[in-house]
Amino acid sequence: MSNDTKIEANDASEKTAGKKSNKLNLVILALAVVVAGVGYYVWSDYTDSHPSTNDAYIGTPIIHIAPEVTGTVVSVDVKSFSKVKKGDTLFTIDPRSFKASLDMAKANLVRARQKVSVLQSQVVSAQSMLDAKQAALENTRGATQRTLKLAAQGTATQAEADAQKAALSEAEAAVKTAKAALNSAQSSLGKPGDDNPLVQSALADVERAQLDLDNTVLKASADGYVGKIDIRPGSLAAAGMEVAQLVETDQWWVDANFKESALTNIKPGQLAEVSIDMLPGRTFTGKVLSLSPASGTAFSLFPPDNATGNWVKVTQRFPVRVLLDNAGPSDGLRVGASSEVTIDTTGGQ
């Protein structure tokens, strides 16, 4: 075989191999496109049924502590960020003036009961007087009937009959006077015993004074951690003015701010997964508790007014509250911690 023949054979072989290689590359490319398409479809379907957001923050009930009475703080029993149990004393207001008010209210209660007792005695006395006057009236009425009968028979004088009639009128008037006195005494008394308005008012004063005295000691209303304590012994605590916060630790949730386009299939009861930035490697589970009826901006102090000026459409976000399962104090959660929430919308109510 000549050299030219060999060269032509090699060229033909290379062309055949090149064509096979091109076909293989096309097949691989086609398979890659198919796999990518299927992967994108699966990923798109998953993201549609599992909306996710990293605009989410940990929350729990926060109790804002404020005294109900005004006074000077005499002791502070907790430090900033310390752990407390329900019923632990947080701080105490000087109780002396409130103790004096309670003693005065109790004394007024004694006086009120004494006054009611006197009024009850007056009612009893008036009732006895009325009974006596009614008995005297009955006697006088009988004597008058007998005297008038004797006068008609001629055995009694007209003067005696007239005198007896006058006595009867006097007895009847005495009964009317006694009834009026009884009505007056009963009106002054009102209800007897502790049902009397005077006693009820005094009892209310005692209860209020006792409550004020009790409120000089502020106690934790739940288990948790106190916030920053700025108050010190000697400070003036004003009624209704917040002095501390108590972060409860028995219940935790996440407020996840989803875009409005992701809310379509989110419903209460659906399962959710939560990862928290400050606890890497851990995943919490939870359930959708509720969806906000308004966007976050609608609750702001100055909500946007799109009816004026140049309007630019901005995708709104709506808070979705997810209640965490089995999250407690030992998990190290902190209010406001950033997190990421993914909700499985294939289940739920």
Side-chain angles (χ1 to χ4, degrees):
M1 180 181 296
S2 66
N3 291 333
D4 293 339
T5 303
K6 290 181 180 180
I7 292 173
E8 291 177 356
N10 290 335
D11 290 342
S13 176
E14 288 177 359
K15 289 180 179 179
T16 301
K19 290 180 179 179
K20 291 182 179 180
S21 177
N22 289 337
K23 288 182 180 180
L24 180 60
N25 290 335
L26 289 174
V27 171
I28 293 174
L29 179 61
L31 288 175
V33 170
V34 171
V35 171
V38 172
Y40 176 78
Y41 174 80
V42 172
W43 176 83
S44 177
D45 181 66
Y46 179 83
T47 55
D48 288 342
S49 62
H50 294 74
S52 178
T53 182
N54 59 4
D55 186 1
Y57 306 93
I58 299 297
T60 190
I62 298 178
I63 301 172
H64 298 275
I65 302 171
E68 295 187 42
V69 295
T70 298
T72 302
V73 176
V74 293
S75 66
V76 178
D77 299 280
V78 292
K79 296 180 180 179
S80 296
F81 316 131
S82 60
K83 184 177 181 180
V84 295
K85 291 288 186 180
K86 182 178 180 180
D88 287 352
T89 298
L90 303 179
F91 66 91
T92 303
I93 294 174
D94 190 346
R96 290 176 295 178
S97 62
F98 301 97
K99 178 65 167 59
S101 296
L102 177 60
D103 293 339
M104 182 179 295
K106 288 181 178 179
N108 290 336
L109 174 60
V110 172
R111 282 195 292 268
R113 283 174 169 158
Q114 289 174 343
K115 185 173 182 179
V116 169
S117 178
V118 170
L119 293 175
Q120 287 181 191
S121 298
Q122 291 176 352
V123 170
V124 172
S125 177
Q127 182 65 58
S128 299
M129 181 61 70
L130 175 60
D131 293 341
K133 295 299 182 182
Q134 286 177 333
L137 174 60
E138 292 301 321
N139 292 334
T140 304
R141 184 177 286 119
T144 302
Q145 290 175 350
R146 290 191 297 272
T147 301
L148 292 178
K149 185 177 181 181
L150 292 174
Q153 295 174 353
T155 57
T157 64
Q158 185 62 39
E160 292 175 334
D162 292 341
Q164 197 60 49
K165 287 180 181 180
L168 178 60
S169 298
E170 185 178 345
E172 290 174 343
V175 169
K176 291 181 180 180
T177 300
K179 285 183 178 180
L182 176 61
N183 290 335
S184 178
Q186 290 175 335
S187 178
S188 297
L189 171 63
K191 293 183 179 180
D194 282 356
D195 292 332
N196 187 274
L198 293 175
V199 178
Q200 286 291 307
S201 178
L203 284 170
D205 290 341
V206 170
E207 184 176 357
R208 186 183 303 109
Q210 182 66 62
L211 183 61
D212 287 344
L213 179 60
D214 293 341
N215 285 333
T216 58
V217 180
L218 271 77
K219 297 183 177 182
S221 58
D223 294 346
Y225 290 86
V226 294
K228 186 177 180 181
I229 303 295
D230 290 326
I231 199 166
R232 294 291 183 270
S235 302
L236 180 66
M241 297 296 292
E242 182 176 323
V243 295
Q245 305 81 33
L246 175 61
V247 178
E248 293 189 33
T249 54
D250 290 336
Q251 186 183 69
W252 294 89
W253 62 71
V254 178
D255 285 327
N257 301 298
F258 280 91
K259 292 182 178 180
E260 52 190 314
S261 56
L263 291 177
T264 305
N265 298 319
I266 297 179
K267 296 179 178 62
Q270 292 172 340
L271 299 178
E273 288 188 353
V274 179
S275 58
I276 303 173
D277 292 359
M278 66 183 300
L279 300 173
R282 292 191 59 183
T283 300
F284 292 83
T285 60
K287 289 184 179 180
V288 176
L289 184 63
S290 58
L291 286 76
S292 173
S295 67
T297 57
F299 291 124
S300 64
L301 184 60
F302 299 104
D305 185 1
N306 293 330
T308 60
N310 295 324
W311 174 71
V312 178
K313 183 177 180 180
V314 177
T315 301
Q316 299 297 307
R317 289 182 178 268
F318 289 76
V320 176
R321 178 158 292 186
V322 175
L323 186 64
L324 297 181
D325 297 330
N326 302 323
S330 61
D331 292 308
L333 300 178
R334 297 289 185 271
V335 176
S338 300
S339 60
E340 183 173 351
V341 176
T342 301
I343 297 177
D344 181 3
T345 62
T346 60
Q349 298 176 354

